Amino acid sequence: MRTDVRRTHNAVTTTSTSAAAAAVLAGITTVRNLGILAHVDAGKTTVTERILFLAGETHKRGEVHDGTTVTDCHPQERERGITIFAAAVSCLWDGHRINLIDTPGHVDFADEVERSLRVLDGAVAVFDAVAGVEPQSESVWRQADRHGVPRIAFVNKMDRAGADLDAAVASIRERLHPVPLAVQLPVGREGDFTGVVDLLTMRALTWDDGPGRDGLREGPVPEELRAEAEHRRRRLDEAVAGLHPVALEEYYEHAALSTATLAAALRDLTHSGEAVVVLCGSAYRNRGVEPLLAAVTAYLPSPLDVPAVRGSAVGAAGSGGAARSGGAAGAAGAEGAEGAELERAADPAGPLTGLVFKVNVTASGRLTYLRLYTGTLRKGDTVLDATTGRTERIARILRVQADSHTETDSAVAGDIVAVIGVKAARTGATLCAPGAPLVLEPPVTAEPVVTVAVEARRSVDTDRLAVALARLAEEDPSLVVRTDPETGQRVLSGLGELHLEVAVEKIRRDHNGLEVTVGRPQVAHRETVERGVTGHVHRHVKQDGGAGQFAQVVIDVAPLDGPVGAQEGGGFVFASTVTGGRVPKEYVQAVEAGCRDALAEGPLGGHPVTGLRVTLTDGATHSKDSSDLAFRTAGRTALRDALRACRMVLLEPVVEVTVTVPQEAVGGVLGDLAARRGRVQGSDPHGAVAAVTAVVPLAELFGYATALRSRTQGRGTFTTRPAGYAPAPAAAR
């Protein structure tokens, strides 16, 4: 939203300025901000490497198994052969600037994916041509759904034994539920896969195995595939016509769609999320990547194509440096009152607005990764952290290429850059023009489920460990550091065993000589109500001279319907049925706040309480001594006492485990899962291997990777994803 002042200024700009602004806007239309999403080992990083190679950003194809990739630049990533930290890179292709983020595929690092999706305009979902949609593929797809990020699909590893494009497309339809629109037909199967038929242009694209960038050959459709290609093109036309009104009109008139109409319809359907375009190839053998890049530029949106970003206005007078910006503060006031929801489109001439989505703290400085939504950022600018009201100065602006950087003087709306000079802004902070403060919604941070005690082996290193842990939490908000009030130990909590293992190893590597002792992992328990109470009365009276405190509340406590851990609102619902004004509305809110305070510690073991409904049914006030504080205290104490009277249940986190093992090892794996208190949900055979799915308590999976490798001679793998909470056995209570 722009002010009248800005509109007046724009009305009298010179022709040359207008031309320059038009050129900048035209440049934004050629920007694509996208992420690569997939399950572990589906080929995300290899796809990224081939994109950089074909775009001329690298001169040699990097390989994951050799530890030579650009985006897996951290030593732990190269040693483990997996992506751990989201890495941003940039390249030019066919007149377009592609800002790309290679995201992790392991469930323990799903928060990295969440933060990346928050600032992306589109995504490429990579699927294994043999396995199809795998568990983590489904999880990241749902994350992209929540953020409304348009996607195209790339079925990778078409050269593997058992690769089947049609089966992969069917799994997308069945498990992810969009309408998959395959726009290619493979040329050759498995080891003989040499290329694809483009169903839009009806041309064959084939590749040789040369090491350079000149392996692509274009020609007519092979005669043996012509009938199949024509049949698939007709099916594609029919499917698109059934989803797109303009395409439907042309299809009724001509019984077919022109290439231009089909391409435009595919773009519209991708933007709306009604369908997903599916391509195929083999990134490792450098086959199918050029058409993928063409699809990225043709179908995924530019920053101008996505909806305007929304945020909450912040009062200029109370926003730190805003008062020092003179007349600009008046402009902010014209935009909207404090708390009002505002929209800002991707306009380089608009007020600066950007979101911090990643922070990297190193010994040489602090890198703050920023997505600019509107405005122009220049080196030396002073910006406002609207979240805290603190002003920051931008010392340098960097174009990011994983762990290398190129300095630039400015960045405009739609850019993803890193900045140096920002000292305190955390992940999720909004950096904006001091005279036009706006707070954007930050990325959602997942709750930690696994905890370990971390201590310095030598007492002289205690302070160094505290600094190291603070730096970890600053870089990764899903890591939580606290001090146990009973033992005095520092406790580190994260999203999984591997997550914590990587964090501790990072401390050891980044702080030379710091020796760390790690306790056995513990899971984060919860408590819930199995049987509630009704009519619990609590009277809070305090009189110690002067004005006293008086509040009386009557509450009912009941279990909350639905699976534990899946309820909305954090598993707590508060309601009031008080009539006749016996408890005024402002005091009802105070009672709710007190009840929420009481949820921090349950009666069984001091764990957080979830899955309950509290209803305020009656109460009483005093004409002088009643206050918000009195009713908040009454609500807190009343719920604590009521929970002691309820029948409570201890909950433990459970995960859905998918174990992929040879057929001959299925029996042993099933027995092992049963011994770990797992509930087997099914076994799906795929040729010589089988995928066993079970729900298992997270505490029983510590060390499971080693046990599975031993049981299957190193051929078994497993993945997990959170499945909420379930009652813990009596021995744990």
Side-chain angles (χ1 to χ4, degrees):
M1 181 178 295
R2 299 182 182 175
T3 66
D4 292 336
V5 173
R6 186 174 295 278
R7 287 195 188 99
T8 303
H9 175 73
N10 287 344
V12 296
T13 50
T14 64
T15 304
S16 60
T17 303
S18 299
V24 174
L25 284 173
I28 295 177
T29 63
T30 63
V31 172
R32 298 292 183 272
N33 294 317
L34 67 136
I36 307 292
L37 313 174
H39 184 86
V40 175
D41 202 34
K44 300 181 306 301
T45 301
T46 302
V47 169
T48 304
E49 285 298 315
R50 298 305 181 262
I51 289 174
L52 294 176
F53 176 71
L54 290 171
E57 291 293 332
T58 58
H59 303 292
K60 183 180 179 182
R61 294 183 290 187
E63 305 295 352
V64 173
H65 55 269
D66 292 335
T68 57
T69 58
V70 172
T71 52
D72 285 354
C73 53
H74 194 276
Q76 287 201 73
E77 294 178 310
R78 292 178 173 175
E79 291 171 5
R80 298 173 186 271
I82 61 172
T83 301
I84 296 173
F85 308 104
V89 293
S90 182
C91 64
L92 296 174
W93 177 264
D94 192 26
H96 292 73
R97 172 167 291 281
I98 298 176
N99 298 319
L100 189 152
I101 298 180
D102 180 20
T103 65
H106 196 286
V107 66
D108 281 18
F109 309 105
D111 217 52
E112 289 271 343
V113 182
E114 184 74 18
R115 293 194 293 274
S116 299
L117 284 170
R118 176 64 181 82
V119 299
L120 293 174
D121 302 325
V124 174
V126 181
F127 301 96
D128 189 308
V130 178
V133 177
E134 298 173 272
Q136 189 59 14
S137 303
E138 190 171 351
S139 296
V140 296
W141 189 275
R142 302 300 176 215
Q143 286 178 283
D145 278 343
R146 290 198 303 273
H147 290 279
V149 175
R151 281 141 281 170
I152 58 177
F154 181 68
V155 179
N156 192 26
K157 303 187 179 183
M158 288 295 298
D159 56 330
R160 284 186 59 192
D164 189 334
L165 175 62
D166 291 336
V169 170
S171 70
I172 292 173
R173 180 183 296 106
E174 293 165 6
R175 299 193 62 174
L176 305 181
H177 310 300
V179 178
L181 300 173
V183 297
Q184 293 176 341
L185 169 67
V187 177
R189 291 181 58 85
E190 300 179 348
D192 296 326
F193 172 75
T194 58
V196 298
V197 174
D198 184 342
L199 298 180
L200 274 75
T201 62
M202 294 303 287
R203 299 284 289 175
L205 306 174
T206 57
W207 288 265
D208 58 34
D209 285 325
R213 303 183 180 89
D214 303 325
L216 174 60
R217 303 288 181 266
E218 183 177 345
V221 178
E223 197 59 40
E224 64 273 16
L225 292 177
R226 181 170 295 278
E228 177 67 14
E230 291 174 349
H231 171 66
R232 289 182 180 245
R233 171 58 188 264
R234 286 194 299 271
R235 287 171 51 191
L236 178 62
D237 287 351
E238 292 170 1
V240 171
L243 297 170
H244 195 277
V246 175
L248 181 61
E249 291 181 11
E250 183 172 316
Y251 188 79
Y252 273 148
E253 186 174 347
H254 303 288
L257 298 179
S258 66
T259 301
T261 300
L262 181 56
L266 290 174
R267 176 178 170 84
D268 291 343
L269 293 172
T270 300
H271 287 199
S272 67
E274 295 179 70
V276 57
V277 173
V278 182
L279 302 96
C280 64
S282 170
Y284 179 71
R285 297 177 67 180
N286 212 33
R287 296 176 179 178
V289 181
E290 292 96 334
L292 175 62
L293 282 167
V296 164
T297 59
Y299 304 132
L300 291 181
S302 75
L304 294 177
D305 295 323
V306 298
V309 67
R310 290 174 171 266
S312 299
V314 180
S319 56
R324 293 187 288 273
S325 60
E335 276 201 297
E338 183 168 0
E341 186 172 323
L342 301 178
E343 289 187 354
R344 288 183 181 169
D347 182 0
L352 177 72
T353 310
L355 184 71
V356 176
F357 68 94
K358 184 179 177 68
V359 173
N360 188 14
V361 183
T362 66
S364 58
R366 188 180 194 270
L367 275 180
T368 303
Y369 291 79
L370 185 68
R371 162 67 193 267
L372 290 181
Y373 286 99
T374 185
T376 299
L377 181 67
R378 296 179 178 85
K379 186 167 63 172
D381 280 356
T382 296
V383 299
L384 172 71
D385 181 349
T387 311
T388 63
R390 178 188 176 116
T391 55
E392 304 271 11
R393 184 178 180 275
I394 305 300
R396 297 165 63 194
I397 303 173
L398 306 174
R399 299 278 180 192
V400 183
Q401 204 72 349
D403 59 345
S404 62
H405 315 94
T406 303
E407 192 165 348
T408 184
D409 290 332
S410 64
V412 300
D415 276 341
I416 293 178
V417 294
V419 296
I420 294 177
V422 176
K423 298 178 180 179
R426 305 295 292 266
T427 299
T430 303
L431 299 184
C432 58
L438 185 76
V439 176
L440 303 179
E441 182 182 355
V444 176
T445 301
E447 279 194 35
V449 293
V450 181
T451 298
V452 293
V454 182
E455 294 179 326
R457 186 164 294 178
R458 299 177 300 180
S459 59
V460 294
D461 289 334
T462 301
D463 290 342
R464 290 182 63 199
L465 177 60
V467 171
L469 290 172
R471 180 181 293 182
L472 270 182
E474 185 177 0
E475 291 184 339
D476 186 352
S478 60
L479 288 170
V480 177
V481 181
R482 62 180 179 86
T483 300
D484 189 298
E486 295 182 2
T487 65
Q489 289 179 309
R490 283 191 176 89
V491 175
L492 180 64
S493 302
L495 302 183
E497 190 177 9
L498 180 60
H499 190 203
L500 295 180
E501 184 181 322
V502 166
V504 172
E505 183 62 25
K506 194 172 189 297
I507 292 176
R508 292 177 175 140
R509 289 173 183 264
D510 294 350
H511 301 268
N512 294 331
L514 180 56
E515 299 181 11
V516 180
T517 301
V518 181
R520 188 180 185 278
Q522 301 289 328
V523 298
H525 288 88
R526 296 286 186 271
E527 299 177 25
T528 192
V529 174
E530 185 178 56
R531 187 180 64 197
V533 296
T534 58
H536 181 82
V537 181
H538 178 76
R539 174 179 292 206
H540 172 67
V541 180
K542 185 177 181 181
Q543 194 73 44
D544 53 2
Q549 294 183 21
F550 178 87
Q552 179 174 309
V553 296
V554 182
I555 60 172
D556 295 345
V557 181
L560 189 61
D561 296 334
V564 177
Q567 302 103 336
E568 296 183 3
F572 172 72
V573 173
F574 181 87
S576 173
T577 59
V578 177
T579 58
R582 293 180 61 81
V583 179
K585 288 185 178 180
E586 61 269 23
Y587 294 159
V588 171
Q589 295 176 351
V591 174
E592 179 180 358
C595 290
R596 291 188 181 276
D597 294 341
L599 298 177
E601 295 183 2
L604 294 181
H607 308 291
V609 182
T610 186
L612 73 161
R613 181 189 303 275
V614 176
T615 305
L616 178 65
T617 60
D618 201 356
T621 62
H622 187 276
S623 58
K624 293 183 178 180
D625 293 345
S626 292
S627 63
D628 282 352
L629 177 60
F631 272 91
R632 182 165 186 161
T633 303
R636 179 172 62 250
T637 308
L639 183 54
R640 283 178 178 172
D641 293 344
L643 290 176
R644 294 189 186 97
C646 295
R647 178 183 292 175
M648 302 293 293
V649 174
L650 185 67
L651 303 173
E652 61 180 348
V654 295
V655 294
E656 182 183 287
V657 183
T658 301
V659 188
T660 304
V661 294
Q663 288 281 8
E664 60 270 20
V666 170
V669 168
L670 290 174
D672 186 40
L673 290 173
R676 296 174 184 270
R677 298 190 284 124
R679 301 193 314 275
V680 177
Q681 297 182 319
S683 177
D684 187 12
H686 294 284
V689 299
V692 178
T693 305
V695 175
V696 186
L698 179 60
E700 299 290 346
L701 288 180
F702 296 141
Y704 184 59
T706 302
L708 181 64
R709 283 195 296 267
S710 175
R711 189 175 293 277
T712 61
Q713 291 77 48
R715 293 182 292 169
T717 61
F718 78 100
T719 58
T720 64
R721 64 173 178 176
Y725 286 82
R733 301 180 190 177

